[in-house]
Amino acid sequence: MIGRICGTGSYIPKVAWDNNKLSEMVDTNDEWIQERTGVVRRHIASGEETTSYMAAEAAKAALADASLAPDEVDLILVATISPERIMPSTSCEVQKKIGAVNATCMDVNAACTGFIFALNTAQAFIGQGIYKNVVVIGAESLSNLVNWQERSTCILFGDGAGAAVVRAGETGHYAQVTYSAGNGGNVLTCSSRNQKQFEEQPKAAETYMQMDGREVFKFAVSKVPEVIRELLDREGMQPDEVKYFVLHQANERIVRSVAKRLKEDIGKFPVNMGEYGNTSSASIPILLDELNKKGELRAGEHVILAGFGAGLSYGASLIQW
Ligand code: COA
């Protein structure tokens, strides 16, 4: 059995902060941010728009798109690094909110590669014949983890959720390559606020996202093309057989560099970080939902999804629409 995406959905917080608003908070400006990152604005979740709320809204939209009832869902996987509660899992909260009473639920933490890792997990369960209908979600409220006084990070991130319904079928093509590189993990970190060392200082710098931007950039532009090439080689495919490369939306310069290294037309690399910034595990499913709703994806076409992020983690999945 092979899982095929048969519905997508997303939820974007109502409030957006543009670069000019950030320039009132830290020493930065619209021109610098757009030139170095491609980000123009990012959406910021309100108190009611929690990670599980956004995840549930994205899931409802994806189920409607797939014409699947909530009680037909066997498994809910939520990729997130920014849950509003440590327990129960965000996926159990989603189950409650959407009424997926027959689903088994668990969360996946692989940061910005989370959606890819969760999609692989869905495929593994489907391939083994264990589950048939899986909802895979990436959902983040990164605005809670961002230090809004730190200009080198706060300009990049935003909130949102995206979801895909993956249904078991006899036909289709799915392949993946993933890696974790824990030895390099210190370049992108965020410590839990529920640690003894932070009792005195609950808002210590370590409890916000900390990043060595240049190192993460170098890691992304070398590893993402590498993993995409490995995936194509393994499947005996040429890049021109791929309709779109849906990359994690971290920085437009990273996307351009990956396209160049793969010697592929930049038009095959859709971007939307201008509107949303980097929404970590949500960025790939939000972009996939946009492409799907615009009618850009036709049955049988191949698409590569590729991500990278904290862990360090990276990977690529080949899907057939
Ligand atoms: N506004 C204005 N100036 C800024 C700034 C900001 N928001 N942030 C940094 N600068 C300054 C720096 O202080 C530095 O000044 P200096 O030359 O006087 O020392 C200059 O701009 C260049 O800084 P640098 O860090 O070299 O910029 P960069 O081109 O590497 O861009 C990032 C910084 C963070 C945008 C870039 O490194 C990046 O996107 N990295 C990957 C991050 C990422 O993808 N993270 C998520 C992974 S999932």
Side-chain angles (χ1 to χ4, degrees), residues 189-250:
T189 60
C190 183
S191 295
S192 167
R193 286 169 199 164
N194 304 304
Q195 292 293 306
K196 288 198 179 60
Q197 72 257 40
F198 300 124
E199 269 167 13
E200 300 293 313
Q201 262 187 295
K203 299 231 158 161
E206 294 93 325
T207 67
Y208 294 96
M209 274 197 272
Q210 295 191 305
M211 178 182 77
D212 182 336
R214 283 184 204 179
E215 284 306 312
V216 175
F217 195 99
K218 280 195 276 179
F219 155 72
V221 300
S222 73
K223 292 299 178 190
V224 174
E226 208 174 281
V227 81
I228 290 175
R229 268 196 219 103
E230 186 181 339
L231 179 60
L232 287 168
D233 287 351
R234 192 185 283 183
E235 295 309 296
M237 287 179 68
Q238 297 300 321
D240 61 10
E241 294 175 76
V242 177
K243 169 102 181 256
Y244 285 121
F245 295 85
V246 176
L247 302 195
H248 168 47
Q249 300 290 292

Side-chain angles (χ1 to χ4, degrees), residues 19 22 28-42 151-157 211 217 248-256 271-278:
N19 293 340
L22 265 54
T28 190
N29 58 76
D30 180 46
E31 193 188 351
W32 192 97
I33 301 173
Q34 284 207 43
E35 196 183 300
R36 301 286 178 122
T37 72
V39 178
V40 181
R41 63 183 73 80
R42 70 286 293 141
R151 70 175 182 174
S152 61
T153 48
C154 75
I155 53 157
L156 293 169
F157 299 100
M211 178 182 77
F217 195 99
H248 168 47
Q249 300 290 292
N251 183 323
E252 202 170 333
R253 283 192 295 146
I254 293 177
V255 175
R256 281 203 298 268
V271 290
N272 66 6
M273 78 280 280
E275 181 62 35
Y276 309 120
N278 175 349

Side-chain angles (χ1 to χ4, degrees), residues 18 52 66 135 149 161 278 301 307:
D18 66 12
S52 67
V135 180
Q149 280 148 22
N278 175 349
E301 286 176 340

